Each structure stands twice: as structure tokens, then as C-alpha cells.
Amino acid sequence: MKLPRLFFYKYRLKERNPKGINNDYCKFIRLGQHFVNRTQEGVLAYITANTFLDTRLFRGMRYDLLKTFDKIYIVNLHGSTMRNESTSELKDQCIFDIMQGVSINIFIKKKDKETSPLAQVFYKDIYGSRKLKLNFLAENKLSTVDFQEIVPSAPLYIFRPHDNLLQEVYESGFKIDKLMINCVQGFKTDRDNLAIQYSKEDIENIAFDMLNTTLSDNDFQSKYKVKDNRDWSLSEARQRIRNKKNWNDCIVKIQYRPFDVRWTLFDKILVTYPRPLIEQNFIQHPNIALGIGKSGNVIGDSEWSLVSISDIAMDINVIPRGGIYLFPLYIYDGMLQYVNFTPGILKEIENTTHLIMQDCHDTERSENGFLPIDLIDYIYAVLHSPFYRDTYHDFLQFDFPIIPYPHSAGYFFSMVEKGKELRELHLMKTISQQDIITQYPVYDADNDNIVLLRKFVENDDDTGKVYINKAQYFDNVPKEAWEMTISGYQVADKWLKDRLNKKLTNEEIIHYQKMIVAIKRTIEIQEDIDNIIRL
């Protein structure tokens, strides 16, 4: 059914990607709301996806519904396989054979009732098996459900319970995007199979083929299985590289996924969206950036982990579903270099710690100072605290995180030390071959290091074997390292998944083993941070 624009929600609040608000179920709620507005009374009842209850994108829709109706009843039936709402103790199922969670939503407006600014909202959670949920619905009516009244508040107007006092504490800190206002999404190629390669040599060979005048466009497209699209044309890309004298200077390492460094030709020759801020501040100059995701709702009830760090350009999908935003430490303007911190928040941090941030060219701390990288390390430590992530889980769903101000110099530097350890681990700066704790003991001539599967088989202790084919495996891999989620990925599995049917080099085998060390140490450092952090 195609509805006129009248029935679309206009309250998008400047969202960058408002397409989700035009989902069919939103249109039908809007259609019913339109007729209720005309008659000034009515009851609407829908069973819909439950994403509109708390996702940031729908906050304008929620606010509009609050203004229209007198009472709103929500029975959240959950059941999303995408939000991982099941636990080891509770198997949560959807009442329908779909991946999305669902809710029953009843909107009531009475003509003779005195109008109030916003509707009363009554909420009920139902978790469990499909049978349990259907039995609950069969045995109850609206008057017998033990609803909890909630009061949605600005800016998100969430249709789920949350702790207002806790929210006040959380919001007393500083937002990442207010401290570091220069930020940008990670770069995007639209053709990773061509533009992103495992080695510099592979990228150079692609460039040579683009320059090769005896290789036709059709033959190139057939060889690399690539097609033109709205934003990229092969013939234009080939002309561009032919006109670019120093194209080889654009061949650089990039952060493709967590712990996964690859190569690209960083130019519109191959990269559809290279992002000027990335080109100016990472490709042309040394830098380091916090990478943070703002769509925490994609992980559902799993622990928030949408943070990364890199000293090279990052692909948009270093964090999945919603993408990564890069917050560079330094901004370069011609010959000038300055720190990407806003003066107001920086001054508040200096006041609470009684320290002064030093010049961006300093390499050693002064007696009463701190380096710009120290503030990055402090933030990185906070964002890796399981206590912080659990305490503020609901608030990390919809926007960039808010960081508590450090309350003293001693506390600040204690957190900085842990953040620095994490940063150097995740950049693979401090792990040597002697640190490796796993083994790769089996040589098999038939399989020869080719990744054909990813299977974790437990040993008698808390470790296991990670098989990459029927015969070959990494042994003594800690189970907690195998299961660990970083930047939204189960990274020990994801790294292998992205190399299915590929033969691992000796360097890659060693890299994977070092990665396991980094993950294990990350878990240990997180425990240390939780013993220090104060929220």
C-alpha cells in the first residue's frame, strides 16, 4: 500500500539516515493517528516490530505519539534474534517466525478527557518461550496485566523503563562528540573485494592492471568481478590513475576490521568515500583516533563494546551495523597542528584534575601536566570498563557515549595507565613472539594452512582448540578469549571467517596467536579498570 506523504512521520529531528522511519508499520501507525486526530478520539491497536520503542531514530515518532494520545499501553514481547535477548538461563523466542522482536501497542485518546502535555505510558515486559507468551496473552486482558507506568523524557522519549537518577549521573559527564567535534565516519569502498587486499603487492598488481592499456574494461571487470555503480565508474577510475603521477604514494595500510590490517589505494580511484578529514589527517600525517559506534541498540542486551583505536585510517565496518566514527586526536591545517579538544570541556577536565594539558609536540609529562594522548587513554579505559558498560547499558544504545569527568589527578593517571596498556595492545605494539601462549602444532600437507572452518573444541581446562580445517588447529586458546566481543565482533572467530578458503601465511599464523594474547590481556586489564573506576 502506497500512502501519501501526509502519513509519513515528519519529526525526524535531523537524523542523517531517516529511511527506517518510513517502515510500513510506522506508516500504518501514522495513518491511524491521522484519523484519530480528525475525530479527536479513538483507540489504535497494533502488533509491530518493537524497534520503535527505544531506538534513537524513532525518538521523534515517540514524541509525536505522546502528544497525540492520552494513554499508551506497551506489551513488549521481545524475541529478537538480532538483539541476542536469550541467555543461558532463559530461552527467549518470538511469537512469530521472524528475526525481529515484537510488541503489542495500544494507543487511546478520549474526547472528554482533559488534555495533558504528554500521554501516560504503561509498560510490560514478557520474556520466554513462544508457548509462555501465547499463554500469557490468552489468559489476560488489558485490565489484568500488571503494567509499570513509565515517564518518557527528553531527548529520546524512550518507551521502556530506565532510571532517571542514573541518567542524571550519566549525563553529568562529557560527550565524546562534544569534546572532539571533528569526527567522520570511516571510509567506504563499495567494492572491498577489489579495493581492499591482504598485501601491498596485491594492490599494486590491481593498479598495474588499471594502467594496462591492453587490458579492456570488460576484461578487467571479468577478472576482478567488479561493476560500475552510481558513484564509481571503472573507465573514469582508470583515467584518474593514469593522470595521477604519484598514485603509488596512495597505497597505504588501513584498519579493515579489529586486529585486521590490510592494504588499499586510498584515493577515489578505488575508494568511493575516502572522506576528506581522513585523507588530510591520517593519510598525509601521523595521527591516532578513537573509533566509536553510536548505534548500541544493534547489540541488544549484549555488552556494549563499540570502541576501537587506530593510528591508520579505519574502514566504516570496523564496527558493524551503524558503522564506526573516527575522532582524530590531531587536526592538521596546512603547516599547523592542533589538538581536537574543545576548550570548554578541556578546561573542566583541567579544573577537576588540577592539571594542565601540554603542547601537542611534547613527548614527556611535566610535573603538573598531562599529554593530549593521556586524555585519549583515559577515555579508552573508561569505555572498556565492564562496570561502566553494564551500569549505563541503556544509555549507550542510542548515541555516542558520555564519559565521567576524572575527579583527581591520581585517579586520572591510574585510568590513563590502563588505557595506554589497552591502546598499545590493540595496536599490537607490545606483543612479541615470546609472549605467545598458543600452539599451532599440526602440519598437514593436504590442507596446508587453508582456513576451511572455524570450530572451537574445549580441552579439559578453560582452553580449547580452534580448528581451521579437519586436521589443523590453534591449541591452548583460552575459552574467554575465543568468546570475547570487541568492537561488536567475536574477533577470534571473525578474523578466521574473513579468511575462509585462504591459505594462512606464517606471518598470519603468528599474528593470530598474538591476537589471542591481546584479547586475553584485554580481559585482565578490564578487571583492573573495574577495580579503579568511579562512576
Side-chain angles (χ1 to χ4, degrees):
M1 176 181 180
K2 186 174 181 179
L3 299 174
R5 291 192 64 82
L6 170 65
F7 301 129
F8 288 16
Y9 279 96
K10 62 183 178 180
Y11 297 97
R12 298 178 183 174
L13 303 182
K14 300 180 181 179
E15 291 292 350
R16 293 188 181 185
N17 183 13
K19 293 179 182 178
I21 205 76
N22 289 336
N23 191 299
D24 282 345
Y25 81 82
C26 297
K27 296 177 188 178
F28 280 105
I29 292 176
R30 179 68 186 96
L31 175 62
Q33 182 186 7
H34 167 73
F35 289 114
V36 168
N37 279 332
R38 285 179 56 179
T39 61
Q40 288 299 299
E41 65 178 345
V43 177
L44 304 179
Y46 298 92
I47 300 178
T48 70
N50 63 4
T51 47
F52 86 97
L53 299 179
D54 54 13
T55 306
R56 176 184 176 82
L57 176 63
F58 297 93
R59 69 196 196 280
M61 172 181 170
R62 292 190 292 270
Y63 178 62
D64 199 36
L65 292 169
L66 288 168
K67 291 200 304 178
T68 296
F69 294 96
D70 300 315
K71 292 185 177 181
I72 298 174
Y73 292 88
I74 306 289
V75 179
N76 192 347
L77 296 169
H78 296 279
S80 171
T81 60
M82 296 179 287
R83 286 195 171 194
N84 300 318
E85 293 183 308
S86 291
T87 67
S88 57
E89 294 80 23
L90 175 68
K91 178 69 173 177
D92 189 57
Q93 296 178 319
C94 186
I95 60 170
F96 305 115
D97 290 323
I98 58 176
M99 295 177 68
Q100 286 184 307
V102 298
S103 60
I104 298 172
N105 318 294
I106 301 172
F107 307 95
I108 300 172
K109 184 175 180 64
K110 295 182 179 180
K111 182 178 290 186
D112 59 351
K113 181 184 179 298
E114 292 185 12
T115 58
S116 57
L118 298 177
Q120 290 179 281
V121 180
F122 302 91
Y123 181 89
K124 174 67 178 177
D125 276 316
I126 306 291
Y127 290 97
S129 67
R130 179 180 298 177
K131 181 179 179 181
L132 181 150
K133 293 175 182 180
L134 292 175
N135 286 342
F136 177 89
L137 297 176
E139 294 167 1
N140 283 277
K141 52 187 178 181
L142 197 64
S143 61
T144 61
V145 176
D146 56 334
F147 286 103
Q148 172 187 358
E149 183 171 1
I150 61 175
V151 183
S153 59
L156 298 178
Y157 299 100
I158 298 168
F159 282 6
R160 290 182 67 175
H162 67 280
D163 189 329
N164 288 328
L165 180 59
L166 187 63
Q167 183 174 358
E168 289 179 15
V169 174
Y170 176 67
E171 292 178 351
S172 66
F174 59 89
K175 279 189 70 182
I176 292 290
D177 56 326
K178 299 301 182 184
L179 172 69
M180 307 176 77
I181 59 174
N182 293 287
C183 71
V184 66
Q185 277 199 305
F187 73 87
K188 184 180 179 184
T189 76
D190 282 336
R191 60 198 63 79
D192 288 3
N193 62 317
L194 177 71
I196 309 291
Q197 299 296 322
Y198 291 105
S199 72
K200 183 178 183 181
E201 181 182 8
D202 289 339
I203 268 292
E204 287 175 335
N205 289 337
I206 290 170
F208 292 142
D209 277 347
M210 295 185 80
L211 291 164
N212 184 358
T213 56
T214 64
L215 184 68
S216 71
D217 286 356
N218 287 338
D219 288 341
F220 186 98
Q221 288 176 327
S222 177
K223 179 177 180 178
Y224 290 105
K225 297 179 175 57
V226 65
K227 296 180 180 179
D228 291 358
N229 62 21
R230 182 193 66 183
D231 301 310
W232 186 83
S233 158
L234 175 60
S235 61
E236 291 177 3
R238 298 185 81 178
Q239 189 59 49
R240 183 180 176 95
I241 193 172
R242 289 164 186 162
N243 294 338
K244 198 174 184 71
K245 293 182 179 179
N246 298 319
W247 58 266
N248 51 315
D249 292 341
C250 299
I251 294 180
V252 295
K253 289 182 178 181
I254 53 91
Q255 189 77 37
Y256 185 63
R257 297 291 183 268
F259 297 108
D260 193 346
V261 174
R262 303 193 193 179
W263 291 84
T264 192
L265 197 161
F266 202 93
D267 183 272
K268 285 192 174 182
I269 295 165
L270 290 181
V271 179
T272 305
Y273 300 106
R275 319 288 190 199
L277 187 143
I278 296 177
E279 286 187 293
Q280 295 163 13
N281 296 285
F282 283 92
I283 305 304
Q284 300 173 15
H285 299 280
N287 214 331
I288 194 161
L290 280 170
I292 298 176
K294 68 186 297 187
S295 301
N297 56 294
V298 302
I299 61 171
D301 289 342
S302 299
E303 182 181 272
W304 186 93
S305 66
L306 305 185
V307 57
S308 186
I309 201 159
S310 184
D311 54 5
I312 52 180
M314 286 193 259
D315 181 89
I316 188 171
N317 287 314
V318 169
I319 287 176
R321 290 182 290 170
I324 197 167
Y325 288 79
L326 278 61
F327 294 84
L329 174 57
Y330 300 116
I331 299 296
Y332 294 88
D333 184 4
M335 299 298 293
L336 298 177
Q337 174 190 4
Y338 61 91
V339 180
N340 185 24
F341 298 147
T342 54
I345 294 176
L346 179 60
K347 186 65 176 177
E348 184 65 23
I349 292 169
E350 290 177 331
N351 289 340
T352 59
T353 59
H354 303 289
L355 299 168
I356 301 295
M357 190 184 76
Q358 297 169 225
D359 185 83
C360 59
H361 299 291
D362 288 352
T363 57
E364 299 290 336
R365 287 190 202 131
S366 63
E367 184 177 352
N368 295 310
F370 66 90
L371 303 174
I373 190 64
D374 290 335
L375 186 48
I376 295 293
D377 289 339
Y378 169 78
I379 295 168
Y380 204 55
V382 169
L383 293 178
H384 276 85
S385 162
F387 180 55
Y388 169 89
R389 293 175 175 185
D390 181 62
T391 301
Y392 297 137
H393 177 87
D394 286 350
F395 311 126
L396 292 167
Q397 301 294 296
F398 315 105
D399 205 346
F400 293 121
I402 296 177
I403 309 299
Y405 282 97
H407 55 75
S408 70
Y411 170 71
F412 175 72
F413 285 126
S414 294
M415 293 290 284
V416 167
E417 179 185 353
K418 296 303 174 182
K420 180 182 179 182
E421 288 182 50
L422 286 172
R423 169 171 57 86
E424 292 180 341
L425 275 176
H426 296 171
L427 295 177
M428 305 290 276
K429 301 289 189 184
T430 55
I431 305 171
S432 69
Q433 203 161 331
Q434 288 69 41
D435 296 320
I436 289 174
I437 58 174
T438 54
Q439 295 81 43
Y440 188 71
V442 177
Y443 173 74
D444 185 87
D446 294 330
N447 293 285
D448 196 21
N449 302 332
I450 298 174
V451 182
L452 299 176
L453 52 87
R454 310 107 54 205
K455 184 178 180 181
F456 184 84
V457 178
E458 291 190 44
N459 295 326
D460 292 334
D461 52 15
D462 291 328
T463 68
K465 297 176 177 65
V466 176
Y467 281 83
I468 65 168
N469 52 52
K470 289 183 178 180
Q472 295 178 290
Y473 56 86
F474 294 94
D475 199 4
N476 199 37
V477 176
K479 184 180 180 181
E480 60 181 0
W482 170 252
E483 295 176 344
M484 178 70 168
T485 298
I486 295 177
S487 301
Y489 294 106
Q490 185 185 339
V491 287
D493 178 63
K494 174 65 175 171
W495 191 91
L496 292 172
K497 181 181 180 181
D498 287 348
R499 286 162 176 76
L500 282 173
N501 301 312
K502 182 184 186 301
K503 179 179 178 178
L504 298 182
T505 65
N506 288 335
E507 290 77 12
E508 287 175 317
I509 291 170
I510 292 170
H511 176 87
Y512 188 80
Q513 292 178 294
K514 288 183 177 180
M515 193 173 83
I516 297 300
V517 174
I519 298 169
K520 182 175 183 294
R521 288 189 182 174
T522 294
I523 296 168
E524 294 167 353
I525 293 169
Q526 285 182 300
E527 294 177 1
D528 294 340
I529 292 171
D530 270 4
N531 290 328
I532 299 170
I533 195 167
R534 297 292 181 268
L535 300 182

